[in-house]
Structures are given as C-alpha cells and as structure tokens.
Amino acid sequence: MPRPLEESPYSFTIPALVKEVPAARDRVVDRVRGLGLDLDEELIGDLRLLTGELVANSVTHTHAPCVVCVRWTGERLRVEVTDGDSTLPVPTRALPMDEHGRGLFLVAAMATEWGSQLCAAGKKTWFELAVPAFTVATETLRSSLGDVPEQAVINGEGDAHPALVGPVSITGAHARVVHQAA
C-alpha cells in the first residue's frame, strides 16, 4: 500500500489541477531563495520551466495531487515531484503539429541530469541544475534541523530528510581538513 505524500520545510503539495502549475513554479523559486541560493534570471527561468513540465505531467497523467521537494546538494539544485502513480514516465516522439509530448525532451535537454524512480508513494521524477559556485551565498544557507523531529531524520526509504541533504550554515564553525590518498 502506498504511503501518503507528506510535506516538509522544503516540500509542498500541489492539488491535481493544471491551473496550479504556475503557483508550483513560484513556490519552488521561493524555496530556492529560502535556501540562500542567488540564481541569475536565466537559471530561474530554467528552474521555472522544468518544474512546470514535471508538475504538469504529474497532475495531468495521474489526476491526483503531487508533492514537490526542493533540495540543495552542495553543487546542484534538485527538484523532485512525487506522485502516487507507479508508472515511470517515458519520453514520447511528438509530431511537428502536436501540442503535447515534448516536456520530457525539454527536461532532458535543459537539466544537468534528470530521472525517475519508484518510491513508496508511487514514483519520484526529478531534475538537477548545476549552480555556479559564485551564486551560493554560504552565509545565508539555512538549516531547518531544529524543525525536524528526531524520528523523522531518516524516512522509511532510507533517505535522509530533505533538511539534511543540503549544507548548513558554517558561520562560527571550526575548519577541519581531512586528507585522502589520491
């Protein structure tokens, strides 16, 4: 039995309505800014477009709500869309006059990496965008670990809670150098 879709400080639920896609794009940008990432307009445009494609696909094909999660890996921005359908998406070949069928090709062309995988809720489709190092405002990166109950740190899939994925503020932290053999 699939697990219910859940929200966290870095995720939110989208109702099963295509008209909610613009709001989803705006909320993803807000979450990214909340992580302290200062993206240029081109990267924000890519983020909006790719988010819109995945969310629209999810609500159109499942006719059910989905959860959108934003993660910062330290090098890439990752957006995941989780829905209750366990059918993995497959890019289709659209004819020149078709109005639909190109979304996943756009995602594949514009994202640094993308994919889809089965999960306890159904499936998770995601994309990652490389973020240039100079756009990361390290002093403003925030952690919501204080908001995460101890038992919620690791979920049932063995994944770390989204708040644990990204870097935390290092202001006042002592540097530690670990040398590794080449």
Side-chain angles (χ1 to χ4, degrees):
M1 179 161 97
R3 283 191 343 200
L5 301 173
E6 298 174 7
E7 291 196 20
S8 78
Y10 297 99
S11 66
F12 53 91
T13 302
I14 296 295
L17 302 169
V18 174
K19 72 178 186 176
E20 296 294 331
V21 172
R25 292 189 295 245
D26 292 342
R27 290 179 75 181
V28 165
V29 171
D30 289 345
R31 294 295 198 278
V32 168
R33 289 186 175 131
L35 289 169
L37 299 176
D38 185 22
L39 307 182
D40 64 24
E41 288 303 313
E42 182 179 348
L43 206 48
I44 288 174
D46 292 350
L47 176 64
R48 286 180 185 276
L49 177 65
L50 298 177
T51 298
E53 291 298 334
L54 293 190
V55 172
N57 281 351
S58 179
V59 299
T60 299
H61 296 291
T62 67
H63 305 288
C66 63
V67 171
V68 179
C69 183
V70 178
R71 298 175 188 245
W72 170 242
T73 70
E75 295 176 4
R76 291 183 178 178
L77 178 62
R78 181 178 176 112
V79 176
E80 301 171 344
V81 178
T82 304
D83 61 48
D85 185 0
S86 60
T87 305
L88 296 177
V90 178
T92 59
R93 186 170 298 261
L95 297 173
M97 297 305 291
D98 288 346
E99 293 183 21
H100 304 284
R102 294 177 185 83
L104 291 178
F105 284 109
L106 281 172
V107 173
M110 296 175 68
T112 304
E113 194 169 348
W114 81 281
S116 187
Q117 62 205 54
L118 297 177
C119 65
K123 76 171 168 298
K124 184 182 299 184
T125 306
W126 53 270
F127 69 85
E128 292 180 348
L129 292 173
V131 177
F134 64 87
T135 64
V136 179
T138 306
E139 66 276 0
T140 63
L141 286 174
R142 292 185 261 162
S143 168
S144 65
L145 290 179
D147 300 337
V148 180
E150 193 171 319
Q151 67 273 17
V153 170
I154 302 295
N155 68 24
E157 298 170 32
D159 295 335
H161 185 278
L164 298 176
V165 173
V168 295
S169 175
I170 57 172
T171 305
H174 298 288
R176 187 178 91 190
V177 177
V178 178
H179 297 279
Q180 298 179 349

